[in-house]
Amino acid sequence: MFTTCGVRVPWVSLSLFLLSVGVIASNAILASAPKATSVNLGVIKDIGVNTTTCNSEVVRNSNTVVVAVKPHVVPSVLEEISSDVTSSKLIVSIAAGIPLSLLQSKLPSSSRIIRVMPNTPSLIRQGCAVYALGDHVIEGDSEAVHSLMSSVGSCAEVKEALVEPFLGMSSSGVAFLFLALEAMADGGVKMGMPRSMAYDIAAQTMIGAARMVKDLDQHPAQCKDDVCSPGGCTMAGIHVLEKQNFRGALMDAVEAATVKAQELGDQD
């Protein structure tokens, strides 16, 4: 059985998608949350998922357990379920900033643990995720997680040192791009474009630009240069962005999100 030990909104949505595309059967999932009246638990129960308010029950009846709670709750949840975790259980954590060392310290020494960091476009099968393996995983554990996350986007195994940078660039980065998209649309509105049209065009522009980098396998700088005619409109706009330190601001944002994630892991 595949289970979630604590249910958060993004995981509820991802569970709904995994069910819809046939990756996991609803009767193969057991989800828990602190209260029987939890909105998240109610939503997932309505689609046929088994639910409980006991995290230990989840672990006892499952082979794969996903810890999907806020970072500050992780230590208490792990302490609650520790006595039920055996070497037959695969523990998967998607909690931001919680390192494998902390996960391992709260569970039996031989626990099979994998740390996964996804991003929200996984909800529409356009996600990106990375995962890092604990010291005691066995054959098939990595493949199982890779298969699950690959069903909703791209996925790669990395050294744990790269999980926080991924969070800063991709998990948090989607919000940076939403902000940029909104600002571009506001610019269109300022210049007289209807707002609904502006949002649609800004979104499609971002999608198209990303696809060019991936599909043409070109450096982003080359793609940018191909648009910038000498003395043209685009170069005038690029000049403004450079004067406003656009690149530096994005780099600083990635760094700040990464550092914050690292701080979350140092709080226990």
Side-chain angles (χ1 to χ4, degrees):
M1 180 171 283
F2 178 91
T3 67
T4 61
C5 190
V7 183
R8 291 179 59 192
V9 172
W11 188 250
V12 170
S13 300
L14 182 55
S15 297
L16 291 171
F17 178 79
L18 292 172
L19 292 171
S20 71
V21 297
V23 176
I24 302 172
S26 60
N27 60 6
I29 300 177
L30 174 60
S32 65
K35 298 178 181 179
T37 56
S38 166
V39 173
N40 293 339
L41 209 58
V43 170
I44 207 166
K45 186 175 183 178
D46 288 343
I47 57 171
V49 171
N50 304 293
T51 62
T52 178
T53 58
C54 178
N55 288 332
S56 293
E57 180 184 347
V58 165
V59 179
R60 288 193 298 269
N61 292 283
S62 308
N63 296 319
T64 300
V65 179
V66 178
V67 180
V69 297
K70 294 285 189 180
H72 71 276
V73 181
V74 170
S76 62
V77 169
L78 295 182
E79 290 171 1
E80 178 186 353
I81 67 174
S82 179
S83 62
D84 295 299
V85 174
T86 67
S87 59
S88 67
K89 315 289 185 181
L90 173 60
I91 309 298
V92 178
S93 171
I94 61 171
I98 304 300
L100 287 167
S101 59
L102 189 152
L103 297 169
Q104 188 65 72
S105 71
K106 301 293 184 181
L107 295 172
S109 58
S110 62
S111 298
R112 295 154 52 203
I113 304 172
I114 297 181
R115 184 182 173 198
V116 178
M117 185 50 55
N119 67 6
T120 55
S122 299
L123 306 180
I124 59 166
R125 216 171 188 174
Q126 294 295 319
C128 185
V130 297
Y131 64 96
L133 305 179
D135 293 335
H136 303 290
V137 295
I138 62 175
E139 183 177 357
D141 287 347
S142 176
E143 291 80 3
V145 168
H146 191 278
S147 176
L148 176 69
M149 299 312 300
S150 294
S151 68
V152 292
S154 65
C155 181
E157 178 186 340
V158 298
K159 298 293 185 182
E160 189 180 18
L162 294 180
V163 174
E164 270 72 38
F166 171 87
L167 186 155
M169 189 182 73
S170 185
S171 299
S172 296
V174 293
F176 308 155
L177 295 181
F178 290 145
L179 189 63
L181 189 156
E182 182 184 27
M184 287 177 62
D186 283 346
V189 172
K190 182 181 180 182
M191 293 294 99
M193 185 177 291
R195 182 164 293 279
S196 60
M197 179 184 294
Y199 282 140
D200 186 61
I201 291 175
Q204 185 57 46
T205 299
M206 195 167 286
I207 292 169
R211 294 303 312 180
M212 286 187 70
V213 172
K214 286 182 66 70
D215 293 354
L216 300 180
D217 195 26
Q218 288 187 339
H219 193 286
Q222 181 60 56
C223 293
K224 180 261 297 178
D225 286 350
D226 290 343
V227 184
C228 294
S229 303
C233 306
T234 306
M235 200 63 233
I238 292 289
H239 186 206
V240 172
L241 293 175
E242 295 287 15
K243 286 196 295 183
Q244 298 297 322
N245 196 29
F246 181 71
R247 299 176 196 236
L250 285 177
M251 292 171 67
D252 287 348
V254 171
E255 180 180 11
T258 301
V259 170
K260 181 63 176 179
Q262 292 167 340
E263 291 173 350
L264 290 173
D266 294 335
Q267 288 178 4
D268 186 68

